[in-house]
Amino acid sequence: RDDDPPVPPEPPEPTEKVVRVVGGSVRVRDKDNVSGKRLFTAHRGDEFLLIDVAPSGWYKIETDYPEAYITNKKRYTVLKDG
């Protein structure tokens, strides 16, 4: 019927964000700063699923470690849609 209320559009699906390493080698750490323990080194072209952005701005990323962070400095990493 024409007098039915309009159906609101479905909200868009949230897009996953991916952190891509663009600058040589970058250390992945267990805390969101350079004082965190080094877990491993990521290399240009590596990509990680973004879990969260820490208050410091560092990216919390999905790895085999329970807590893993990588710098948000644009010369090392960029954020893109997954």
Side-chain angles (χ1 to χ4, degrees):
R1 294 177 30 197
D2 288 338
D3 58 352
D4 286 342
V7 177
E10 290 288 320
E13 289 291 317
T15 38
E16 293 182 335
K17 295 286 187 182
V18 172
V19 179
R20 180 179 177 84
V21 178
V22 294
S25 299
V26 183
R27 293 186 178 112
V28 176
R29 299 180 181 270
D30 69 346
K31 293 187 176 18
D32 62 332
N33 58 58
V34 295
S35 300
K37 180 180 142 198
R38 288 183 239 167
L39 301 174
F40 64 92
T41 302
H43 302 282
R44 184 190 326 255
D46 289 351
E47 293 186 342
F48 303 93
L49 187 63
L50 177 71
I51 295 174
D52 199 6
V53 178
S56 64
W58 280 47
Y59 300 130
K60 183 175 183 180
I61 56 174
E62 185 173 277
T63 69
D64 291 337
Y65 294 90
E67 298 278 321
Y69 296 88
I70 195 166
T71 183
N72 66 334
K73 288 186 179 175
K74 297 296 178 209
R75 68 178 187 225
Y76 297 117
T77 58
V78 295
L79 199 56
K80 62 180 210 148
D81 289 333

